[in-house]
Amino acid sequence: SMGLNGVLAGLVGITAGADSVSMSGALWIGLVAGALVVFAIIFFDKIKMDDPVGAISVHGVCGIWGTISLVFFTTEPAGTFSIVSQFIGVAAVYGFAFVFSLVLFLIGKAICGVRVSAEEEHEGLDIAEHGAPAYTD
């Protein structure tokens, strides 16, 4: 799964600037994202953040890298992208996503609840919801 996350991370990293970088720039952005995701997954595991498939690492961390990397790899005229404008863009997108997700979470919690039983949580939702374990021991 780490190899697949590396490939996805490369794709996520280059998505922000696919129209604004050269092929070699895209390669470097993707390679850095593919390596960065490994360290991000290890970091989030170490701080005990619940991210079982690495989605935060792949989409969050590597999405930020891809957006910021345009400053360094763009083929557009000088000054098109600044580090400040890219950080403002990242902050705006992540701020909006946080607020929107929080609102949806609170609505879902009020309407139908968001917790499973302690028994289902202990057994694992892969078994409780899908009837099969996601990982073998």
Side-chain angles (χ1 to χ4, degrees):
S1 68
M2 192 68 83
L4 290 174
N5 276 342
V7 171
L8 286 172
L11 292 170
V12 168
I14 190 51
T15 298
D19 65 333
S20 302
V21 298
S22 66
M23 284 178 41
S24 63
L27 180 66
W28 282 109
I29 292 169
L31 286 172
V32 170
L36 185 61
V37 72
V38 174
F39 295 104
I41 288 171
I42 292 168
F43 170 76
F44 288 128
D45 283 348
K46 186 174 278 190
I47 65 169
K48 307 256 190 258
M49 182 177 276
D50 189 20
D51 187 25
V53 295
I56 296 169
S57 300
V58 170
H59 297 282
V61 173
C62 294
I64 291 170
W65 157 247
T67 302
I68 301 302
S69 69
L70 289 178
V71 174
F72 309 109
F73 294 103
T74 186
T75 57
E76 301 292 321
T80 303
F81 300 103
S82 75
I83 197 84
V84 173
S85 68
Q86 296 306 95
F87 273 113
I88 290 170
V90 166
V93 168
Y94 282 80
F96 172 81
F98 177 80
V99 171
F100 190 74
S101 298
L102 180 62
V103 169
L104 287 180
F105 174 81
L106 293 173
I107 290 170
K109 183 178 178 184
I111 292 173
C112 59
V114 293
R115 297 288 304 185
V116 296
S117 70
E119 191 175 278
E120 287 177 315
E121 188 173 349
H122 180 73
E123 181 180 44
L125 288 180
D126 50 348
I127 294 171
E129 293 288 321
H130 304 291
Y135 302 101
T136 58
D137 291 331

